[in-house]
Amino acid sequence: MEKKRLTLVMFISLLVLVTLIFLGHKHAQAESPSSASAVKIDNFSFTPATMTVPAGTTVTWTNSDDTPHTVVSDDKVFKSKVLDTDEKFSFTFTKPGTYSYFCSVHPKMTAKIVVQ
């Protein structure tokens, strides 16, 4: 009888451990920046054109176009250098608000980041 009880206790302990690991993994995934924190520059546009992120998110723009581009906020909160093909620029949004931005080389290219 004692052996069955010990086996049951070990099984329940293992089940609790696996559950805690699974829940911890799900929690870590929820806190990780999502792939939505990436903006692609291609075909003379920013994709997505509007992105909503929580405060503290780092957004990375990647120039996938064959033409140089920049990423400049309307209020000059952030400004990239001229990005050649495959170059990246990142900025961490710490304060809630709407950040409209454009390409200074091609001012008709516009988009915005909404920080909550």
Side-chain angles (χ1 to χ4, degrees):
M1 186 67 169
E2 188 64 32
K3 187 175 181 182
K4 286 184 179 181
R5 184 175 177 183
L6 180 60
T7 303
L8 181 61
V9 168
M10 288 176 60
F11 175 76
I12 291 172
S13 298
L14 181 60
L15 185 61
V16 168
L17 179 62
V18 168
T19 301
L20 289 173
I21 290 171
F22 176 77
L23 291 175
H25 177 70
K26 285 291 189 184
H27 181 70
Q29 283 181 334
E31 290 182 350
S32 298
S34 68
S35 61
S37 62
V39 176
K40 184 177 181 179
I41 304 169
D42 196 18
N43 199 26
F44 293 88
S45 64
F46 297 104
T47 305
T50 300
M51 177 186 292
T52 302
V53 298
T57 299
T58 299
V59 175
T60 300
W61 290 262
T62 303
N63 184 8
S64 299
D65 218 338
D66 292 334
T67 304
H69 295 288
T70 63
V71 180
V72 182
S73 68
D74 290 354
D75 55 6
K76 308 297 185 248
V77 170
F78 55 89
K79 180 180 180 180
S80 74
K81 68 177 187 80
V82 175
L83 303 173
D84 285 324
T85 304
D86 295 328
E87 286 190 315
K88 299 175 188 255
F89 168 72
S90 296
F91 182 79
T92 301
F93 292 89
T94 58
K95 296 180 183 177
T98 299
Y99 298 83
S100 296
Y101 63 93
F102 63 100
C103 171
S104 62
V105 181
H106 309 98
K108 290 186 179 184
M109 289 176 58
T110 62
K112 67 181 172 181
I113 305 291
V114 179
V115 181
Q116 297 179 331

